[in-house]
Amino acid sequence: MAAPPSVLHTGLPESLLSDPVAAIRGPGDLVRFYRELAGSAPLLVVTNREPVVWKGGAERFALPPGGVSQTIHRLLCQVGGRWIALRDSGGPDLLRIPGEPGAPGYRLDRLEVPSALMEGHYAGFSNGVLWPFFHDEEGRIGEPPNALAAYREVNRRVAGKVMDSLREGASGGIRPGMIWVHDYQLALVGQEMRRSGGALPPLAFFWHIPWSAPVGGAPPPRWLFEVVTGLLSYDQVGFQTELYRDRFLETVFSLYGSRASWDGETLSVATASGVRRLHPGVFPISVDPDHFRMMSRDPAGMLPALSLLSDCGLAPGTPSGGYLISVDRMDYSKGFLERLSLMEALYENDPSLAGRLALLQIAPPTRLSVEAYRRYAEEVERRSEALNRRFARGAWRPVVTLSRSLDPSLLAPLYRLSRGCLVTATRDGMNLVAKEFLASQDGGSAPLFLSRHTGTAMTMEGLSLIDPADPALSARIVAQGLSMDGRIRERKNRQALADLREHNVYRWMAENLLRPLSRTSKEGALLFARPS
Ligand code: F6P
């Protein structure tokens, strides 16, 4: 039997050979890992939304609070490359995003799409059809005429922009180690690129949202075959959980029958344009727990957090200052109505909680160009007002809603100061709020009450799970959790934090990059070729 190749054969450090990603804890580790695998090859990232917000003036642009996009942004700043996104703020088509001194930074190519086309793509098909379908909210599907055509056209234009980047002359073209496309808004980009012909770098795709189980008996929606076939064009398609990956495979089998096979690693499908072979992988997305731990104690965020709480009538240390926190875009999949029912059941079961334990909701509006979202926001407002009328005690209100997004530096201390966190999503690809809350507890004992329908609940152990579909049961679980011995709660939080530190967002990125990059890297190829 041949001996396994030694470190000398690959030139890779021992840590990479024993377990390539387990040691990754922070941005520096990730950058080193990327360099070891890809050398000087840049990375090309493609998203629907931009990683920066144009401000104009001397400042030029600001970074939005978004965790995952900011992690990818930091990696690109360090390793260099290009980011292609649909433009959603003013300014020039091309922005040079600087890195730290000594780091290359990257180029952001912003694709301008006429507003009517964008409306059909974003509000029409992406969020009027795909989002409700994959969140099992088929009753909310509303497909305006030409929405699918707009989605196809925007995907085609994005693919064209990517191909231009690869083709441009020596001055502007890049030869990326891989191309990483994100999310349901851009499922068809890879297929459009392949239609242009020619060799391409490895194409990876990450599907951030859930994947629904195929509906037995009922015919699939007419667009499903097209979206699935589009995904088959990538070399790797990442999902948040095994359940979503397996449902995707089931969907492929239901659409392609015996033309599809899977050996546990490679999915092979005989499509009209030839046999496609790809890796459908499971990569649960995460946060930077150390960043949240530090922010949750930082006086720079703590002082404004304390003053915000006082302004909301929830001054810490006062009898009426206790609160459960929820942080979600105003999206029906986040279970706002179910959460209000849960709070109602909590007060009905224990009226003494009224006046002592409020719900603080950070709920920025979202996707208001989609009618289902506008109607939902109105209904949540009506129900919140009714609950507030019923359980008000003097100036105290049970539901305090801030309809804006807050910077993570303010959110982390708000998580820390709370009595607990309520995550009531009816379906969620992962749910990073749950992870941010656990990281911000760091030694604290406030419990997380987590919907079992989230990717976080499916991929982390030892958490207190609730079911938003059963508010009465969930209210009992919350009441029990709040009265549990503080030492037990603290221990559970510590275990969860240890898990998060191991499975952090940098490791998530490394795992996503590993296989596609290995195809273009001699060392990486050896890494995978070595006998086990
Ligand atoms: O979770 C899916 C997702 O599209 C994310 O990629 C994005 O950050 C979030 O929803 C917000 O969506 P939008 O870009 O429509 O505001």
Side-chain angles (χ1 to χ4, degrees), residues 192-501:
E192 292 295 338
M193 289 174 65
R194 295 214 187 274
R195 280 191 181 136
S196 308
L200 291 173
L203 294 184
F205 183 89
F206 194 79
W207 183 267
H208 289 250
I209 65 175
W211 192 278
S212 306
V215 191
R222 67 194 158 80
W223 49 262
L224 188 63
F225 185 78
E226 186 172 345
V227 168
V228 168
T229 305
L231 290 176
L232 299 177
S233 297
Y234 295 95
D235 298 309
Q236 171 177 286
V237 179
F239 294 91
Q240 304 272 22
T241 71
E242 209 164 307
L243 177 69
Y244 304 151
R245 192 271 314 271
D246 291 353
R247 285 177 174 174
F248 167 75
L249 290 171
E250 271 188 273
T251 306
V252 172
F253 293 142
S254 74
L255 296 172
Y256 276 92
S258 60
R259 285 179 289 156
S261 65
W262 185 57
D263 64 6
E265 194 151 327
T266 304
L267 171 66
S268 306
V269 187
T271 70
S273 50
V275 176
R276 289 289 316 140
R277 285 195 184 82
L278 61 145
H279 299 281
V282 178
F283 309 105
I285 208 164
S286 193
V287 296
D288 178 344
D290 289 336
H291 189 46
F292 272 89
R293 283 169 65 215
M294 282 182 309
M295 285 190 300
S296 72
R297 297 163 178 271
D298 188 342
M302 181 59 82
L303 296 175
L306 289 171
S307 108
L308 182 143
L309 288 172
S310 296
D311 292 348
C312 295
L314 299 171
T318 64
S320 55
Y323 66 93
L324 297 172
I325 189 166
S326 290
V327 183
D328 297 295
R329 293 178 300 105
M330 179 57 75
D331 189 310
Y332 48 79
S333 67
K334 304 296 183 183
F336 279 80
L337 296 173
E338 289 80 356
R339 190 186 303 155
L340 293 174
S341 301
L342 186 162
M343 291 305 294
E344 190 168 24
L346 205 59
Y347 296 128
E348 281 169 355
N349 294 346
D350 181 358
S352 79
L353 287 176
R356 292 194 296 127
L357 185 72
L359 169 66
L360 173 62
Q361 306 193 114
I362 317 298
T366 185
R367 303 175 184 169
L368 289 176
S369 51
V370 183
E371 204 204 327
Y373 281 78
R374 289 197 299 275
R375 276 194 273 116
Y376 187 73
E378 285 163 13
E379 196 179 346
V380 172
E381 196 176 336
R382 269 197 304 277
R383 286 277 306 278
S384 305
E385 281 169 4
L387 200 69
N388 276 346
R389 276 195 299 275
R390 183 170 167 203
F391 292 103
R393 297 287 182 270
W396 181 92
R397 295 284 176 279
V399 183
V400 178
T401 305
L402 299 180
S403 302
R404 60 180 197 270
S405 57
L406 297 185
D407 194 82
S409 61
L410 193 55
L411 271 183
L414 288 176
Y415 287 138
R416 188 175 191 86
L417 294 166
S418 72
R419 296 269 315 275
C421 178
L422 269 185
V423 175
T424 52
T426 52
R427 292 286 179 275
D428 208 335
M430 181 51 61
N431 196 280
L432 295 182
V433 166
K435 296 189 176 187
E436 292 171 3
F437 173 82
L438 290 168
S440 303
Q441 277 301 305
D442 183 27
S445 61
L448 166 69
F449 300 106
L450 176 63
S451 163
R452 69 183 188 87
H453 304 292
T454 59
T456 305
M458 296 172 208
T459 50
M460 284 183 78
E461 286 178 1
L463 302 177
S464 298
L465 301 188
I466 56 173
D467 188 348
D470 190 341
L473 172 68
S474 300
R476 286 201 297 279
I477 294 172
V478 170
Q480 281 163 14
L482 290 173
S483 57
M484 189 182 279
D485 188 298
R487 288 164 300 185
I488 301 175
R489 291 182 300 176
E490 190 190 323
R491 192 176 173 80
K492 276 166 79 90
N493 283 352
R494 277 199 195 286
Q495 275 166 352
L497 179 56
D499 184 348
L500 286 181
R501 294 190 79 195

Side-chain angles (χ1 to χ4, degrees), residues 9-308:
H9 288 116
T10 64
L12 283 180
E14 192 94 45
S15 61
L16 274 187
L17 278 172
S18 51
D19 184 346
V21 291
I24 291 180
R25 288 287 184 276
D29 299 332
L30 177 62
V31 171
R32 271 193 301 283
F33 173 82
Y34 181 90
R35 285 273 176 249
E36 277 162 358
L37 213 48
S40 58
L43 180 62
L44 201 162
V45 173
V46 188
T47 57
N48 191 65
R49 211 174 259 289
E50 307 185 73
V52 301
V53 181
W54 175 256
K55 304 277 274 185
E59 200 188 353
R60 302 193 74 225
F61 56 81
L63 300 175
V68 175
S69 92
Q70 289 313 299
T71 307
I72 302 174
H73 158 86
R74 286 202 292 275
L75 177 70
L76 264 193
C77 282
Q78 290 291 323
V79 302
R82 196 162 298 184
W83 192 315
I84 294 173
L86 297 176
R87 164 202 280 285
D88 48 26
S89 58
D93 287 343
L94 189 160
L95 287 179
R96 292 210 177 273
I97 312 290
E100 307 266 297
Y106 67 93
R107 185 174 120 176
L108 172 63
D109 284 1
R110 317 166 79 211
L111 182 63
E112 179 88 50
V113 173
S115 57
L117 187 58
M118 189 64 183
E119 182 74 6
H121 162 73
Y122 177 79
F125 196 70
S126 298
N127 295 310
V129 178
L130 292 179
W131 181 274
F133 179 82
F134 285 107
H135 287 83
D136 296 332
E137 291 272 5
E138 286 174 69
R140 297 189 200 267
I141 291 178
E143 186 176 351
N146 299 327
L148 177 56
Y151 179 82
R152 284 185 191 126
E153 176 59 16
V154 169
N155 274 255
R156 197 184 62 77
R157 290 188 187 196
V158 172
K161 189 83 179 167
V162 179
M163 293 309 291
D164 289 348
S165 284
L166 304 181
R167 285 194 202 110
E168 277 169 350
S171 56
I174 60 166
R175 292 171 60 85
M178 82 180 241
I179 299 177
W180 196 12
V181 185
H182 286 262
D183 230 352
Y184 62 102
Q185 304 94 340
L186 300 177
L188 307 181
V189 168
Q191 184 179 46
E192 292 295 338
M193 289 174 65
R194 295 214 187 274
R195 280 191 181 136
S196 308
L200 291 173
L203 294 184
F205 183 89
F206 194 79
W207 183 267
H208 289 250
I209 65 175
W211 192 278
S212 306
V215 191
R222 67 194 158 80
W223 49 262
L224 188 63
F225 185 78
E226 186 172 345
V227 168
V228 168
T229 305
L231 290 176
L232 299 177
S233 297
Y234 295 95
D235 298 309
Q236 171 177 286
V237 179
F239 294 91
Q240 304 272 22
T241 71
E242 209 164 307
L243 177 69
Y244 304 151
R245 192 271 314 271
D246 291 353
R247 285 177 174 174
F248 167 75
L249 290 171
E250 271 188 273
T251 306
V252 172
F253 293 142
S254 74
L255 296 172
Y256 276 92
S258 60
R259 285 179 289 156
S261 65
W262 185 57
D263 64 6
E265 194 151 327
T266 304
L267 171 66
S268 306
V269 187
T271 70
S273 50
V275 176
R276 289 289 316 140
R277 285 195 184 82
L278 61 145
H279 299 281
V282 178
F283 309 105
I285 208 164
S286 193
V287 296
D288 178 344
D290 289 336
H291 189 46
F292 272 89
R293 283 169 65 215
M294 282 182 309
M295 285 190 300
S296 72
R297 297 163 178 271
D298 188 342
M302 181 59 82
L303 296 175
L306 289 171
S307 108
L308 182 143

